[in-house]
Amino acid sequence: MEPFSVDGGAFESVPFQIDGGAGDAFMSVPFNISDPFAVQEVSHKPPEPVKTHPYDYDLFVIGGGSGGISAARWAAELGKKVALADFVQPSPAGSTWGIGGTCVNVGCIPKKLMHYSGILAESKHDMQMAGIAVDNATPHKWETMVGSVQKHIKSLNWGYKADLIKLKIKYFNMYATFKDAHTIHLDNGKTQDTVTADKIIIAVGGRPQYPGIPGDKEYGITSDDIFSLKKAPGKTLVVGASYIALECSGFLTALGYDTTVMVRSIFLRGFDQDMANRIATYMENHGTKFIRGAIPTKLEKPDPQGKIHVTFDQSGELKTEEYDTVLFAIGRYALTKNINLESTGVKAESNGKLKVNDLEETNVPNIYGIGDVIYGMLELTPVAIKAGKLLAYRLFGGKTEKMDYINVPTTVFTPLEYGSCGLSEEDAKAKYGAENISTYHTEFKPLEWALYKARPEGDCYVKVLVNKLENERVVGFHILSPNAGEVTQGVGIAMKCGVTKELLDSCVGIHPTIAEDCIGLQFTKEDNPDAAKGGC
Ligand code: FAD
Ligand code: NDP
């Protein structure tokens, strides 16, 4: 399995481009905390820094991912002297990439583009019904997709570098370790450097875990490798049953690859289990295979040119299957082990994560943590970006707003997307009492699906959880549908404003859309467990 080399180096021929999506840590209009809707003049000439301490920099950021770049960018906009180090150590399979962190290189961006590719592949039936010629005989060209995705990623890497220069942020493409709480050692294998800083933000993110079984690193890959694989993955085993496992197996299946998911216990731990099981049913009906209640115990490749033999334990029975690719998606650990935290006094938990307070302060006063490195918080790009911005404004802009980690909307990009905001049904009932929660729900079929009649009824489903004790305030929203992410973003805003069921229903729907199916839900699960719904 030979991944593309996507080094952060030579991007000269790639035009300047800034992604408009979640990796948008460099928005062209600065955010005004006191009035987020105010449009300001863009200043490409940050004020000259005024030094109030003996260190080289006002701020040093370790990690050039979603959170780190955001914090560095806003600190520089506020006139501070900022440096940032970003360095990617190759995965066991040899993959490496440029600046921008997980989201841009091996996360949200390539994932969403491959998810979209999967949707295109799944639309073939609809296209035929719409009279659009479809070639069903030619198999998917993996190399073409990966080439297009990687080209886009390189343009983003280039854009980030250009913006660091524009903002006068000193960029070290070097691995950073602490010498003490104000001193950073930098090393790229060829040269070394030492710098000091008044404040330091740890935004090192994480990397995928391996199960620690024989052959895992030799024959297995992770999300660090899949998006740049040079050859089509072929028959693939995906180990894990959460976000990454289901998203990757979803697009692989949709693109026509024989894909099996090995599930240890439940789907999407922490999410609404009714929704999680509906996703699994949908995926199974669309060709993804599942091996339930199993964990791999060893990977072997008796013939170097042949398949990977996977031995697994299913309910105490050892079995073996053969695959071309084995993808581990079993969680991530934070990258703090080798940065010499001991020299600073900052304490890390066993998974490498840092416990911070609500100001993102570690136990050492001048050292902060944001993004995936934070213990017990959501591992999501917009969370890291926003936390970085708010931290910079608190440190250097005189603002006090804290990051709100509650009611953060999120979407699992399985082919049929699952959007969620607020509490799962289980958590809502545990928090407020089952008798105080009403679950309004319905199944529905998007109009677009009418073209291809063979699509089953009931795949799309929405439920709105309300707390009867608070005038039916919406405490949980869950939708399984195409473009669920777009719908959930809007409902997330309403939930931030404390929307009640009555207010939700007072909004006039847009017809014919999926979003209108979230409005005016009449039946509760308690009174009407059958969520089937009629037409227009
Ligand atoms: P990162 O983006 O991981 O950046 C940390 C950077 O620091 C890396 O470049 C790392 O190499 C570098 N670094 C580490 N140690 C050092 C050091 N000592 N010196 C110098 N540099 C160092 N989130 C979403 O919101 N939506 C999605 O759709 C989504 N999809 C995802 C799909 C996948 C497959 C994965 C893996 C993640 C996905 N995420 C998604 C999560 C998202 O990517 C992360 O939450 C986000 O990237 C975290 O940002 P961060 O700044 O904390 O860390
Ligand atoms: P998670 O930690 O969410 O899930 C890990 C999965 O692997 C679980 O299903 C777990 O099963 C299983 N597992 C753990 N250890 C083993 C093992 N030894 N053998 C077999 N199975 C095992 O990790 P992910 O890698 O899926 O995602 C990491 C994070 O990245 C997410 O939490 C999310 O915040 C972020 N992300 C966000 C996305 C988005 O916004 N769309 C997309 C992708 C990632 P069990 O339940 O039994 O413990």
Side-chain angles (χ1 to χ4, degrees):
M1 213 57 65
E2 202 190 337
F4 272 117
S5 167
V6 284
D7 194 301
F11 303 120
E12 282 74 21
S13 60
V14 187
F16 180 91
Q17 185 177 348
I18 297 176
D19 182 66
D24 192 11
F26 285 109
M27 294 183 298
S28 56
V29 180
F31 183 77
N32 179 341
I33 300 271
S34 56
D35 180 2
F37 301 104
V39 176
Q40 301 173 2
E41 282 300 307
V42 183
S43 160
H44 293 306
K45 284 187 189 160
E48 285 303 316
V50 181
K51 204 166 170 181
T52 55
H53 52 72
Y55 305 108
D56 302 332
Y57 294 96
D58 297 313
L59 174 68
F60 193 96
V61 181
I62 308 179
S66 311
I69 288 183
S70 171
R73 179 257 158 96
W74 292 107
E77 288 271 10
L78 289 164
K80 295 297 154 187
K81 191 175 176 194
V82 181
L84 175 145
D86 189 63
F87 192 82
V88 179
Q89 291 180 316
S91 73
S95 307
T96 184
W97 49 88
I99 189 168
T102 303
C103 173
V104 168
N105 296 283
V106 288
C108 334
I109 300 298
K111 184 277 307 290
K112 182 80 190 279
L113 291 174
M114 293 195 181
H115 164 65
Y116 178 60
S117 306
I119 290 171
L120 292 178
E122 283 201 328
S123 303
K124 279 184 182 175
H125 293 297
D126 306 66
M127 287 166 71
Q128 272 171 320
M129 300 315 291
I132 301 166
V134 171
D135 171 10
N136 280 320
T138 311
H140 175 247
K141 290 181 184 154
W142 176 266
E143 296 82 354
T144 305
M145 177 180 73
V146 168
S148 308
V149 168
Q150 291 300 327
K151 195 171 161 197
H152 178 66
I153 290 173
K154 283 184 181 161
S155 74
L156 298 180
N157 297 141
W158 175 256
Y160 281 115
K161 277 190 188 176
D163 277 327
L164 290 177
I165 293 167
K166 207 161 58 185
L167 286 158
K168 295 186 180 165
I169 297 168
K170 174 72 181 162
Y171 168 49
F172 294 95
N173 185 200
M174 298 170 103
Y175 189 75
T177 48
F178 284 99
K179 278 182 123 173
D180 62 45
H182 287 283
T183 312
I184 301 282
H185 177 74
L186 296 153
D187 191 344
N188 62 8
K190 293 178 200 141
T191 53
Q192 301 191 341
D193 209 340
T194 300
V195 299
T196 58
D198 184 27
K199 299 187 190 317
I200 297 173
I201 297 178
I202 302 174
V204 293
R207 292 292 283 265
Q209 261 160 4
Y210 286 80
I213 57 174
D216 58 353
K217 289 190 175 145
E218 211 173 342
Y219 305 121
I221 60 166
T222 67
S223 54
D224 280 355
D225 312 297
I226 185 76
F227 304 113
S228 58
L229 269 193
K230 260 190 175 173
K231 284 188 197 148
K235 184 182 173 191
T236 303
L237 175 69
V238 179
V239 183
S242 200
Y243 269 96
I244 297 176
L246 297 185
E247 290 184 339
C248 291
S249 51
F251 72 69
L252 289 174
T253 305
L255 293 170
Y257 301 102
D258 179 348
T259 308
T260 303
V261 180
M262 188 171 283
V263 186
R264 178 167 75 174
S265 58
I266 57 170
F267 295 99
L268 288 172
R269 183 174 296 284
F271 281 93
D272 189 290
Q273 283 302 295
D274 169 20
M275 301 303 286
N277 290 324
R278 282 174 184 268
I279 291 174
T281 304
Y282 176 89
M283 291 179 72
E284 207 157 19
N285 290 340
H286 284 73
T288 306
K289 298 168 192 159
F290 291 102
I291 302 176
R292 295 165 198 256
I295 50 164
T297 55
K298 76 177 164 190
L299 270 57
E300 295 164 303
K301 207 169 180 183
D303 172 4
Q305 306 307 319
K307 291 189 185 285
I308 304 164
H309 293 208
V310 179
T311 305
F312 59 95
D313 180 336
Q314 190 174 26
S315 312
E317 194 186 336
L318 283 186
K319 300 178 179 173
T320 303
E321 285 281 347
E322 295 176 17
Y323 299 93
D324 297 304
T325 300
V326 178
L327 172 75
F328 293 112
I330 58 169
R332 297 169 63 79
Y333 64 93
L335 280 173
T336 54
K337 198 174 162 201
N338 299 320
I339 60 172
N340 197 21
L341 273 182
E342 309 74 48
S343 67
T344 65
V346 173
K347 292 189 192 79
E349 302 304 305
S350 57
N351 59 358
K353 299 224 173 192
L354 308 178
K355 279 189 175 156
V356 296
N357 62 16
D358 61 356
L359 298 170
E360 278 93 21
E361 294 168 334
T362 67
N363 56 308
V364 174
N366 69 307
I367 301 180
Y368 306 81
I370 52 168
D372 283 7
V373 79
I374 299 183
Y375 184 85
M377 292 299 177
L378 298 158
E379 295 176 10
L380 296 171
T381 273
V383 170
I385 290 175
K386 185 142 205 229
K389 184 195 288 179
L390 293 178
L391 176 58
Y393 267 88
R394 286 198 307 273
L395 292 179
F396 306 116
K399 304 288 180 187
T400 54
E401 187 181 343
K402 295 175 189 171
M403 178 66 198
D404 181 2
Y405 293 93
I406 307 295
N407 280 352
V408 172
T410 183
T411 291
V412 186
F413 293 94
T414 36
L416 196 58
E417 296 177 7
Y418 166 32
S420 138
C421 186
L423 300 172
S424 65
E425 197 172 329
E426 298 88 338
D427 288 349
K429 287 179 175 168
K431 184 168 179 182
Y432 297 108
E435 67 285 6
N436 297 318
I437 293 295
S438 276
T439 304
Y440 289 90
H441 72 158
T442 189
E443 287 174 355
F444 62 98
K445 187 167 179 174
L447 177 65
E448 292 85 339
W449 285 11
L451 278 184
Y452 177 51
K453 297 273 184 225
R455 283 188 195 267
E457 299 285 338
D459 279 349
C460 295
Y461 177 76
V462 59
K463 68 176 171 186
V464 176
L465 310 171
V466 302
N467 180 7
K468 291 189 242 178
L469 297 179
E470 290 180 274
N471 192 27
E472 292 210 325
R473 183 174 66 86
V474 178
V475 296
F477 173 79
H478 304 271
I479 182 165
L480 189 57
S481 74
N483 301 314
E486 311 299 339
V487 178
T488 308
Q489 184 71 79
V491 176
I493 297 168
M495 285 176 70
K496 268 270 178 225
C497 301
V499 73
T500 59
K501 178 73 172 54
E502 190 184 3
L503 276 171
L504 197 65
D505 294 349
S506 73
C507 180
V508 177
I510 303 171
H511 189 64
T513 63
I514 287 164
E516 72 173 328
D517 279 296
C518 310
I519 293 170
L521 297 178
Q522 292 176 38
F523 302 113
T524 61
K525 204 171 173 182
E526 304 79 74
D527 296 336
N528 193 346
D530 178 11
K533 180 194 162 198
C536 210

